Amino acid sequence: MAFKLIEVATPEERVRAIIAVAEEMKAADIQTGPALDDGRRLIRLLVGEVDRQALIDRLQAALGKSENWRIVLLPTDTAIPGEPEPEKAPPKKEDEEAKKAERARASREELYHLVENGARLDGNFILLVFLSTVVATVGLEQNNVAVVIGAMVIAPLLGPNVAFAFAAAIGAESLMLSAARASIFGVVLAIAIAAGLALLVAPNVASPELIARTSLDYADIVLAIASGAAAALSVTTGLSSTLVGVMVAVALLPPAATLGIMLAARRLDLAAGAAMLLGANIASVNLAAQLVFVAKGVRPRLWRERRNARMAVAINVTTSVLLLVALIALIALRHSPS
């Protein structure tokens, strides 16, 4: 059984309320420590298969408007002895599925910490974008699929896209802005680096790997939607972020590099196709990730924050859908008999 250790540093007058919430939410173990130097008391809660998000929300409600409190979530590999299994009747299929979904759902605070780290526009992010674009550009021009795949392994484009959809779901404006800034900067930087390399060395614009990224088809949209959904699921259910990051990079990095190469080569017709593919992929990844977070029940704790979150989700989804509809219409027009 997976356990989490929750430490609550609370004012003395809230200790009983915190313990009552922990007992009601069936914490596996409750430890009350001595008073701290600042007058607070440290309470440690060992929780197993409980809805951690509901527990944290209840703890924050129990703390009320009191000041000088803190809740810390700590990972726990093993608890000895483990929580005993009570004797009970065989569970129904519906109960088993509900428990699986509950165990898979991490708390909002855990998810926030995870996606915030992936949306930071720092030196590591810029360096990884630079290196992955250089490798992708070489692979595209040399028609080397293995090199292109290698570029997508190191591309850091998963974090900002997932963080933006998550931030919209909880109405976190600051995280939305930082994620959007990192995502836009990463894509623009990739385009600029690819264009710069193409200006230094005459590109082979006839490379099949390049030509494949200069047109948009229905399959490309399906791939990007699947990538976005997998990206959100990787955060909420613990899928391999490395593999999912490659999926997202497949949808974003090669079209961005192709756009830069074609702009440098002054092939504006092919550059327009690459731009359409890049725009469709960004919209698809973002839309799918947003819908997964909404379906997973990711939302703010306070009701007054939910209005902003609903508005952010509505704007995000509407914008992505309108862009996709326009691009799909262009695909249909292109395939229609003249």
Side-chain angles (χ1 to χ4, degrees), residues 206-230:
S207 168
E209 283 293 313
L210 274 175
I211 297 300
R213 271 83 180 190
T214 57
S215 62
L216 175 64
D217 210 337
Y218 299 116
D220 299 309
I221 295 177
V222 172
L223 172 62
I225 289 175
S227 300

Side-chain angles (χ1 to χ4, degrees), residues 331-338:
I331 297 175
L333 184 63
R334 187 187 66 191
H335 288 175
S336 62
S338 54

Side-chain angles (χ1 to χ4, degrees), residues 192-264:
I193 293 171
L197 291 175
L199 289 174
L200 292 176
V201 180
N204 176 22
V205 295
S207 168
E209 283 293 313
L210 274 175
I211 297 300
R213 271 83 180 190
T214 57
S215 62
L216 175 64
D217 210 337
Y218 299 116
D220 299 309
I221 295 177
V222 172
L223 172 62
I225 289 175
S227 300
L233 286 172
S234 72
V235 174
T236 58
T237 61
L239 293 175
S240 171
S241 59
T242 300
L243 294 178
V244 176
V246 173
M247 288 184 64
V248 174
V250 166
L252 302 182
L253 184 60
T258 300
L259 175 57
I261 293 171
M262 293 306 175
L263 287 175

Side-chain angles (χ1 to χ4, degrees), residues 50-109:
V50 300
D51 187 346
R52 293 196 298 273
Q53 185 60 70
L55 173 59
I56 293 173
D57 289 345
R58 292 285 302 278
L59 291 174
Q60 292 184 69
L63 290 165
K65 296 182 179 180
S66 59
E67 299 179 354
N68 197 26
W69 59 266
R70 185 178 297 275
I71 298 176
V72 179
L73 278 73
L74 303 173
T76 303
D77 294 331
T78 306
I80 303 173
E83 185 178 0
E85 292 289 340
E87 295 183 2
K88 56 185 177 180
K92 297 180 180 180
K93 182 178 180 181
E94 295 81 1
D95 296 336
E96 290 180 344
E97 292 179 353
K99 285 186 177 181
K100 289 180 180 178
E102 185 177 274
R103 289 193 296 268
R105 186 172 64 248
S107 72
R108 179 181 55 249
E109 284 74 14

Side-chain angles (χ1 to χ4, degrees), residues 24 59 61 100 123 128 130 137 153 186 188 227 286 294 305 327:
E24 184 179 347
L59 291 174
K100 289 180 180 178
L128 286 174
F130 175 80
T137 301
V153 172
V188 172
S227 300
N286 186 47
V294 172
E305 297 174 346
L327 292 173

Side-chain angles (χ1 to χ4, degrees), residues 111 115 161-163 165-166 169 231-233 235-236 288-299:
L111 295 179
V115 301
N161 285 275
V162 173
F166 176 81
L233 286 172
V235 174
T236 58
Q290 188 70 81
L291 294 178
V292 168
F293 281 129
V294 172
K296 283 286 186 179
V298 176
R299 59 183 181 179

